[in-house]
Amino acid sequence: MSAVIRTVNLVKIYQSGGVPVTAVDGVDLHVGAGEFVAVMGPSGSGKSTLVHMLGGLDARTSGEIWLDGKRVDTLSESAWALLRRDKVGFVFQFFNLVANMTVADNVELPALLSGATPKQARERREYLLDALGLTERAEAPPAQLAGGEQQRVALARALANEPSLLLADEPTGNLDSRNTRDVLRLLGEVHKKGQTIIMVTHDARVASLADRVVSLLDGQIVDDGVIPVTRRRPKAGAGDVVELRS
Amino acid sequence: MSALRASGRWIRADLRARRGQALLTVLAVAGIVTALITSATLLEDNTNPWRGLFTQTDGAHVWISAQGPLDPAPLAALSGVTGVAGPYRSAPVTLTENGRRTPVALRGLPAAPPEVAHPVVLEGRWLDLADLDGVVVERSFAQAAGLRLGSPFQVTALNGTRHMLAVAGIAETAEQGFYPEWTPGLAWVLPETLDRIEPAIGRSQSVIGLRLADAEATRLVVQGAVTLLDERIQRIYTWREVRASMELDNRLLGLLLALFGAVGLAAAALAIVNAVGARVLTQSRDFATLKSLGLTRRQITGMLLVEHGSLGLLGVAAGLLCGQLVTGLALNGGAGPPLSFVPAAAITTGTALVVLVAVWLPAWRGGRTPPIPATPAAPPRGHLSRLARLAFVVRLPPALVLGARDAFTRRVPAMLTTFGVAIPMMMITIGLGCWATLDNFLAHPEQVGQAAALQVGPGRLPSSEAERLINADPDVAAVYPGTEVDALEPEQTRTVLARAVGTSARPYPFVVVEGRPYADRGEAVAGQGLLDLLDLKIGDRVRVTVGGTPLILRIVGRVVEPDQDGEVISFGLDSLAAKDAMPPEFYSLVLRPGVDPEAARARLLAASNQDLEVRRVVNPAERLAVIRVVIVALSVVLALIGLANLLTASAVGLRDHALDLAVLKAMGLTPRQVTATLVTGTGVLVVIGVVAGTLAGASMAGGLIDLQGYTSGVGAGIGRTPSALTLAVVMLLAVGAALLVALIPARRAARARVPVTAR
Ligand SMILES: Nc1ncnc2c1ncn2[C@@H]1O[C@H](COP(=O)(O)OP(=O)(O)O)[C@@H](O)[C@H]1O
Ligand SMILES: [Mg+2]
């Protein structure tokens, strides 16, 4: 299995008021194409820091990051930005959408950024919003959407350019159970189509959707394993999955 | 290219979300650029019509009036003289028109226009032998006297005979300044006509103009002419005085506009830094999102630069247009071309640069927003200060305490806001100071050296009869006989106005700012302009020549002198030789307080059966009335700038507190208290800014106006600070308007459902 992302002894030390805080402490991670990895751990264990470094939002202190077989930890901030347009999609817990722009514009942005014509971007947006059942909200500002809707739009936007890697930092952390289910359904669906996903969560039930769970503690990987066969997932399985294109 | 499209979407969306603020930016910048363009146009030399007129008319550099006939040959032979205009005979006559009597210099010119200093006909035609009753009138005088083509032109010669002429043409010339700055008014007739109107050579003058090879060489030529003509010289002046008289008002306005424009530009730059900075702060989360999508640092900076910069540039362009329009409207009185290319380009690029730098600073900061959306720029946290704790203990309203504390949590924006309000306020106060000074001119003309409201010439009456009529009028409080003569200054290169009025025993009530009034024969007071011109101090002696008689005067005081750029020397009639002093040329009448000068004038005219010449003294404030328009316009622009700063401040305040609102409400603050907290946050800064700005403006206004008075020759001592009441009202208005502006968004925020989200 070829690695989409690979880290070697990855370390992040924050200088917080002169005191060094080691947020990520020598992480070796290897995620293959099409894998769905859940990252778990208590609050402050370095999950967000790790994911931010994988997407180039934060610079590593030492170690290596390889994305699609290319070393990327040495890239500059703007080179990272260019790389993200095509290869990395992000979904965060909050603030995923540009507040001033309509839902439609928000979803069209990545396509425009990667060089699509306005027409192509519009077609892609129409397809994605249709799949999410949000066509009617296309012209609304994000603030008028419910939390679950916002996260689904964010997900649509993150997937708009079919990135090699989808990074999600507690995408359901702010949602009630119904909305959580909607978002997870969508994630499961894209995973089935071969999308590589790394998702941070502290919710065991959410993590159970993944193929593999990585546990962090104080910035170190303390456990890395495939979900046991005795997971609760099968029961939820097939019925949960909704066709993207309904 | 791809990033351009994405940025374009974002810019469009953002502009749509804040139309009002965008418009405000455009308007503020446009206002400032308009002021700068207008001021540069007014200050620029070529708006002074003199240059154009001089070239068009092939003007003469030096003009000399002398008693009796004049032989031009020796003057033409002076070295440096390349051409001669005249000599022309010129007779003093009085134009009677609708009961008004105006002194006019009637000048005899040939039907064939001369080579040097030929007037340029604007309307009608030049003098023609076929129409001996035709007269060509100088444009500014025709305008002031309401004369048009074909208007009757009834003149009365010194011997009392009346002649009916008609206006055949209106022409411009560079041989003297514009009426009424330059008196008497000028009209041309054929020599034949002049002989008929004023046959007596002795009652007329000869006027000759000398054109020089080198405009700077006037001094030597003038000295040569003085040596040749000596006692016969009555008046002598060069192109410099003509030019200066044409530019007087423009310069004053131009300086005022330049001052306001420059300070306004600084204020506008501050407002832009402030507004863009706040906008960037509010949007840091969006920038983070955009970055996580793949926009680079430079692209975000560029996007902000394009968005806010284009607003500024739009303002510059609009201001450029407005400036052209305004100057076009203001200078339609035949004044030269609009602003030439170089200063226009300098102003455009200068303001554009200032705007771009002002935008670039916060845009650069915006580009450096970390790309992690989960970490919004939180306001710096601080402890409640000891002062605040104390305030709670003494039970000050909590909203006040919390708001006041909030005002200073962001130090730099707080300072920017305070300055952003203080600078416009300061300029508005200075503007009010100008206004108050003008009001004071009008309300107390005696404080600007115009104690006398009327000037009466005896006209055809003997002076004893004139005096009897004046003294019989019940409204006249005091009468000062006087004579104005041209005095050759010591180096004899030009004449200055010498005003003999009152007597040493009973001096005219000048406003003496330094020194004392004249109290003895040979003592004189002078305006700042004269002191500067002759490089004199109080206590110095100066030798002038009046009608050929040397006169040694000791300057004992400086007076506020609104006439002739302050280049006037005044003394008692008794200091003048008897032949020059008697009979007095005019009587300056000080009226009883509260008497309408127009009514007094009408009564005097009636009493004398229209034989007296009664003239109202023109208050300098009447000439400067346009300044009031300028002050109002600039105040509006400045208020806009202040408003922009205010909106910014309240936006930042709201943003900082959006998430606190839930907490505040949970703590038990009512929506009204929450509103009050938010309003206090900006209100405290506004109050500080307004008070500081007003105080600074008030303390500077008097000095600045005096400085202006000093440079314009009137002299220091005219500046007035707006009254305490005016200042208080303006401060209250400013603070009230500011609070109102802050109140609307604050109320909305306080009422809004608060999203409960983590930071
Ligand atoms: N910008 C920062 N500056 C200093 N310390 C930070 C910063 N971001 C995170 N940390 C610290 O790094 C550690 C890991 O944080 P984070 O990755 O956010 O944990 P998690 O997402 O697992 O809750 C924590 O101790 C946190 O306090
Ligand atoms: Mg986290």
Side-chain angles (χ1 to χ4, degrees):
Chain A
M1 194 165 52
S2 69
V4 171
I5 191 114
R6 187 161 65 86
T7 71
V8 182
N9 198 16
L10 192 60
V11 175
K12 175 73 189 182
I13 301 172
Y14 285 112
Q15 292 295 332
S16 135
V19 188
V21 176
T22 308
V24 171
D25 191 4
V27 164
D28 293 300
L29 186 66
H30 184 289
V31 177
E35 258 194 299
F36 185 169
V37 178
V39 179
M40 292 190 69
S43 182
S45 55
K47 309 181 292 289
S48 296
T49 307
L50 176 62
V51 168
H52 289 163
M53 283 194 293
L54 295 183
L57 299 187
D58 226 346
R60 55 108 177 84
T61 308
S62 69
E64 296 170 13
I65 305 173
W66 295 73
L67 179 62
D68 277 347
K70 273 208 317 248
R71 184 156 177 193
V72 290
D73 55 273
T74 47
L75 293 182
S76 69
E77 197 196 306
S78 52
W80 255 118
L82 296 179
L83 192 68
R84 273 198 296 273
R85 291 182 191 176
D86 297 326
K87 299 216 160 174
V88 185
F90 265 106
V91 181
F92 300 96
Q93 184 174 357
F94 306 114
F95 317 125
N96 282 298
L97 304 175
V98 178
N100 266 340
M101 297 171 103
T102 60
V103 167
D105 272 351
N106 261 293
V107 180
E108 283 183 30
L109 263 187
L112 290 173
L113 270 177
S114 64
T117 66
K119 185 159 167 282
Q120 289 167 333
R122 198 184 60 239
E123 283 166 2
R124 177 99 188 124
R125 179 256 296 175
E126 278 165 357
Y127 165 74
L128 284 167
L129 286 185
D130 189 29
L132 290 170
L134 288 170
T135 307
E136 273 131 64
R137 315 305 307 269
E139 293 310 314
Q144 282 181 9
L145 265 57
E149 288 176 321
Q150 284 191 22
Q151 285 307 71
R152 279 188 284 155
V153 172
L155 208 53
R157 200 208 41 210
L159 295 170
N161 285 343
E162 292 158 346
S164 319
L165 179 62
L166 176 65
L167 295 171
D169 190 356
E170 310 209 22
T172 60
N174 197 31
L175 302 180
D176 61 22
S177 59
R178 214 191 109 235
N179 277 314
T180 301
R181 215 169 49 234
D182 283 351
V183 172
L184 289 182
R185 202 180 282 165
L186 197 57
L187 273 178
E189 180 64 27
V190 297
H191 174 225
K192 249 176 59 183
K193 291 190 171 170
Q195 176 68 54
T196 312
I197 304 174
I198 299 180
M199 176 180 68
V200 170
T201 181
H202 56 253
D203 184 337
R205 273 177 307 156
V206 172
S208 67
L209 193 69
D211 304 329
R212 180 179 150 198
V213 174
V214 173
S215 296
L216 278 186
L217 186 64
D218 291 340
Q220 293 177 327
I221 296 183
V222 290
D223 188 25
D224 182 353
V226 175
I227 304 249
V229 192
T230 54
R231 58 193 178 183
R232 283 158 282 158
R233 197 180 153 213
K235 227 169 67 201
D240 264 2
V241 178
V242 166
E243 280 289 75
L244 250 180
R245 182 144 203 147
S246 51
Chain B
M1 182 59 208
S2 52
L4 273 188
R5 257 199 210 111
S7 311
R9 288 278 172 100
W10 189 85
I11 290 173
R12 255 209 333 247
D14 189 44
L15 285 178
R16 213 175 300 144
R18 50 179 205 102
R19 280 193 202 111
Q21 212 190 23
L23 188 70
L24 214 59
T25 308
V26 175
L27 285 182
V29 174
I32 297 303
V33 173
T34 306
L36 285 173
I37 290 280
T38 313
S39 76
T41 312
L42 292 176
L43 285 175
E44 202 188 30
D45 213 26
N46 69 7
T47 68
N48 188 329
W50 176 84
R51 184 188 301 268
L53 284 177
F54 189 84
T55 318
Q56 272 184 304
T57 59
D58 297 311
H61 294 92
V62 178
W63 286 92
I64 302 166
S65 323
Q67 204 78 54
L70 205 60
D71 177 13
L75 288 170
L78 285 173
S79 100
V81 175
T82 58
V84 177
Y88 307 121
R89 196 154 80 84
S90 182
V93 296
T94 309
L95 169 68
T96 311
E97 182 217 8
N98 303 332
R100 261 193 312 160
R101 297 155 65 99
T102 324
V104 178
L106 211 53
R107 196 163 291 180
L109 256 70
E115 245 171 63
V116 174
H118 46 85
V120 180
V121 177
L122 292 177
E123 288 175 61
R125 52 163 181 76
W126 184 238
L127 301 169
D128 190 344
L129 283 167
D131 172 20
L132 282 179
D133 286 340
V135 57
V136 176
V137 187
E138 193 274 325
R139 181 191 60 80
S140 62
F141 178 58
Q143 204 169 16
L147 295 170
R148 301 219 184 94
L149 278 189
S151 295
F153 195 88
Q154 186 195 347
V155 295
T156 311
L158 280 186
N159 60 14
T161 56
R162 295 186 183 192
H163 302 268
M164 203 59 186
L165 306 177
V167 178
I170 290 171
E172 284 192 303
T173 179
E175 65 189 85
Q176 68 174 40
F178 291 146
Y179 191 86
E181 277 82 36
W182 195 290
T183 50
L186 181 60
W188 297 277
V189 290
L190 290 168
E192 293 80 359
T193 316
L194 191 62
D195 288 341
R196 181 155 58 83
I197 294 170
E198 180 60 84
I201 299 287
R203 281 202 285 262
S204 59
Q205 306 175 331
S206 296
V207 176
I208 190 167
L210 305 178
R211 188 172 168 87
L212 310 186
D214 175 11
E216 299 305 318
T218 50
R219 173 171 289 251
L220 274 180
V221 174
V222 168
Q223 274 168 351
V226 169
T227 319
L228 278 173
L229 300 174
D230 199 19
E231 303 196 352
R232 293 176 50 209
I233 288 192
Q234 288 197 317
R235 191 174 190 184
I236 194 163
Y237 59 83
T238 69
W239 58 275
R240 283 198 190 81
E241 284 98 272
V242 177
R243 187 181 65 172
S245 87
M246 287 182 179
E247 79 187 347
L248 174 77
D249 288 4
N250 287 357
R251 272 205 95 74
L252 193 66
L253 255 189
L255 282 174
L256 195 72
L257 281 168
L259 176 71
F260 271 80
V263 178
L265 183 62
L270 198 67
I272 289 174
V273 172
N274 227 344
V276 181
R279 195 72 195 153
V280 166
L281 200 66
T282 335
Q283 290 172 321
S284 55
R285 215 173 259 155
D286 283 353
F287 298 143
T289 304
L290 290 173
K291 273 194 166 180
S292 77
L293 281 180
L295 238 66
T296 62
R297 194 183 271 198
R298 201 172 305 161
Q299 281 165 347
I300 290 193
T301 304
M303 185 172 84
L304 287 169
L305 209 61
V306 167
E307 180 189 352
H308 299 276
S310 59
L311 285 181
L313 295 185
L314 197 66
V316 172
L320 217 59
L321 273 178
C322 275
Q324 304 280 1
L325 216 70
V326 167
T327 48
L329 284 178
L331 299 179
N332 62 352
L339 190 58
S340 55
F341 178 73
V342 172
I347 288 174
T348 311
T349 45
T351 42
L353 271 181
V354 168
V355 165
L356 289 181
V357 168
V359 171
W360 181 77
L361 277 169
W364 178 78
R365 240 187 42 200
R368 297 180 58 91
T369 314
I372 301 162
T375 47
R381 307 278 106 188
H383 295 290
L384 275 183
S385 67
R386 204 172 301 161
L387 206 67
R389 280 167 209 279
L390 197 74
F392 272 122
V393 171
V394 301
R395 299 213 163 273
L396 279 179
L400 219 64
V401 180
L402 290 174
R405 174 182 165 271
D406 290 340
F408 302 102
T409 40
R410 286 186 190 278
R411 294 256 160 83
V412 175
M415 233 167 63
L416 287 178
T417 305
T418 311
F419 273 108
V421 173
I423 292 178
M425 205 58 211
M426 178 181 89
M427 294 314 289
I428 289 176
T429 311
I430 291 176
L432 287 174
C434 297
W435 192 286
T437 304
L438 288 182
D439 277 348
N440 191 58
F441 273 27
L442 285 177
H444 300 285
E446 74 278 3
Q447 290 182 8
V448 286
Q450 295 193 326
L454 294 177
Q455 217 181 53
V456 178
R460 268 180 299 155
L461 299 176
S463 49
S464 56
E465 175 63 10
E467 277 172 37
R468 193 190 60 75
L469 281 170
I470 293 167
N471 285 323
D473 194 285
D475 283 343
V476 175
V479 186
Y480 300 92
T483 292
E484 283 184 356
V485 288
D486 291 314
L488 264 177
E489 48 101 338
E491 300 199 24
Q492 308 210 322
T493 56
R494 54 172 288 184
T495 48
V496 294
L497 181 66
R499 193 194 285 132
V501 62
T503 59
S504 302
R506 194 167 158 274
Y508 180 82
F510 283 111
V511 181
V512 182
V513 191
E514 299 166 56
R516 58 172 176 82
Y518 54 84
D520 204 349
R521 287 188 57 176
E523 288 186 348
V525 292
Q528 183 71 49
L530 186 103
L531 297 182
D532 291 345
L533 178 73
L534 303 183
D535 197 15
L536 293 173
K537 312 185 291 299
I538 291 170
D540 285 353
R541 273 170 207 287
V542 60
R543 178 182 181 282
V544 296
T545 315
V546 175
T549 319
L551 187 62
I552 294 178
L553 295 165
R554 197 164 77 87
I555 311 272
V556 294
R558 178 174 76 75
V559 296
V560 173
E561 180 53 74
D563 284 342
Q564 306 270 329
D565 292 349
E567 294 174 359
V568 181
I569 188 163
S570 307
F571 40 83
L573 261 178
D574 48 344
S575 296
L576 221 50
K579 71 166 168 80
D580 294 319
M582 281 304 158
E585 193 178 87
F586 60 82
Y587 298 89
S588 283
L589 271 53
V590 178
L591 301 180
R592 286 186 204 290
V595 172
D596 177 20
E598 204 48 57
R601 174 176 178 270
R603 202 173 39 241
L604 277 168
L605 281 175
S608 68
N609 201 14
Q610 311 289 323
D611 282 337
L612 283 180
E613 287 165 3
V614 188
R615 195 169 69 75
R616 273 194 64 187
V617 174
V618 180
N619 192 299
E622 287 169 25
R623 265 190 299 150
L624 300 176
V626 64
I627 285 186
R628 293 180 194 255
V629 181
V630 172
I631 290 173
V632 170
L634 289 174
S635 295
V636 169
V637 173
L638 289 166
L640 278 183
I641 293 175
L643 192 69
N645 277 313
L646 202 67
L647 283 178
T648 305
S650 71
V652 173
L654 282 186
R655 192 208 156 277
D656 280 356
H657 296 296
L659 299 168
D660 291 343
L661 291 181
V663 185
L664 289 177
K665 282 182 178 171
M667 272 168 27
L669 260 63
T670 63
R672 191 169 301 169
Q673 280 175 316
V674 173
T675 310
T677 308
L678 292 172
V679 170
T680 311
T682 39
V684 168
L685 299 178
V686 167
V687 169
I688 294 178
V690 164
V691 171
T694 310
L695 289 181
S699 63
M700 285 166 70
L704 270 175
I705 298 165
D706 273 345
L707 184 69
Q708 172 56 43
Y710 179 85
T711 49
S712 70
V714 175
I718 51 171
R720 289 288 174 280
T721 305
S723 73
L725 183 69
T726 316
L727 288 183
V729 168
V730 168
M731 284 206 278
L732 278 180
L733 269 179
V735 172
L739 293 186
L740 218 65
V741 167
L743 189 66
I744 299 161
R747 271 178 69 115
R748 202 180 305 148
R751 293 272 154 87
R753 196 171 49 86
V754 176
V756 184
T757 51
R759 283 173 195 281

